[in-house]
Amino acid sequence: MVKEYNIIITGVGGQGILTAANLLGWAALKEGYKVRVGEVHGMSQRFGSVISYVRFGENVYGAMVPEGKADVILSFEPVEALRYINYLKEGGLVFTNSRPIQPVQVSMGLATYPEPEEIKNIIEKKFKSKFISFQAEELAKEAGNIITTNVVLIGALTQTPGFPISPETIKEVIKVSVPPKAIELNMKAFDLGLEKAKGMI
């Protein structure tokens, strides 16, 4: 049992961020932890930035992860990982889906979208943390539906060194949280994410 484990989940509206947070929260609860889940919807229905906090452990109080205390950032979009990097502790880990979704400011020509290598360098050199980017959406498509990108990322998350929730527990929660006809699809997405992460950490 860990005393405290903090996860930041971020992306843009419609990517299944809140669902991912709830799945992880229920899995942690199933393993006997005290759990706190918080979220900021923002402009979630207009592809705006969304952040969820998942905290669990023996002694966890308050739903929001303090800055500099997140063990992992699970990001559904690369720049969103950078947007909330101040929450990550030194030596933490960032998992991100590699496909960019350009903010409105970029499409309007008011800002530029950073190159993937630039994002990686900022996170690894300035914040001394590990950055892992992969095509989670492509794995979701391989599983059968892009909507399972969040489950692919959760599968990858389970391979984080020292991650305290077993993949089996998370699978059990997924099975009772999705419609029966979608169980096989989600199991495949989870396993694809898990196997992909094994070769990257």
Side-chain angles (χ1 to χ4, degrees):
M1 297 287 284
V2 296
K3 290 186 177 180
E4 182 180 323
Y5 199 90
N6 297 309
I7 306 170
I8 293 290
I9 307 176
T10 186
V12 301
Q15 290 188 299
I17 294 147
L18 306 184
T19 299
N22 287 329
L23 289 173
L24 288 168
W26 280 112
L29 196 64
K30 190 175 179 66
E31 292 209 349
Y33 289 109
K34 293 180 180 178
V35 180
R36 299 288 183 270
V37 177
E39 56 208 33
V40 177
H41 293 269
M43 299 294 285
S44 59
Q45 294 184 350
R46 298 186 181 183
F47 301 101
S49 181
V50 179
I51 179 173
S52 286
Y53 313 88
V54 180
R55 312 187 68 202
F56 58 90
E58 294 179 357
N59 298 299
V60 175
Y61 303 97
M64 293 183 66
V65 175
E67 290 193 13
K69 294 294 185 180
D71 295 276
V72 179
I73 291 180
L74 191 66
S75 180
F76 291 40
E77 199 282 337
V79 159
E80 293 301 318
L82 199 57
R83 188 192 303 275
Y84 296 107
I85 193 64
N86 57 305
Y87 284 97
L88 191 66
K89 71 179 185 182
E90 186 174 315
L93 175 64
V94 174
F95 267 119
T96 185
N97 175 37
S98 61
R99 187 177 77 86
I101 299 175
Q102 294 190 350
V104 174
Q105 295 91 330
V106 173
S107 60
M108 293 176 63
L110 302 175
T112 57
Y113 194 98
E115 294 295 326
E117 196 62 28
E118 183 181 354
I119 297 173
K120 177 181 172 69
N121 287 338
I122 291 172
I123 291 172
E124 292 195 338
K125 294 180 180 179
K126 183 177 180 180
F127 291 92
K128 298 179 175 61
S129 297
K130 189 171 180 63
F131 178 78
I132 296 177
S133 175
F134 67 102
Q135 295 182 344
E137 287 188 3
E138 292 304 312
L139 292 179
K141 290 177 184 177
E142 183 180 337
N145 195 321
I146 194 172
I147 200 171
T148 60
T149 300
N150 56 354
V151 177
V152 170
L153 285 163
I154 291 173
L157 175 66
T158 66
Q159 298 308 295
T160 303
F163 187 70
I165 305 175
S166 73
E168 291 74 21
T169 298
I170 297 175
K171 281 187 170 185
E172 288 175 13
V173 171
I174 292 172
K175 286 176 182 177
V176 299
S177 300
V178 303
K181 63 181 181 181
I183 291 175
E184 184 178 352
L185 168 68
N186 280 273
M187 291 300 100
K188 185 175 181 180
F190 183 93
D191 288 338
L192 285 170
L194 185 154
E195 291 301 322
K196 181 68 175 180
K198 280 183 178 179
M200 302 182 75
I201 294 178

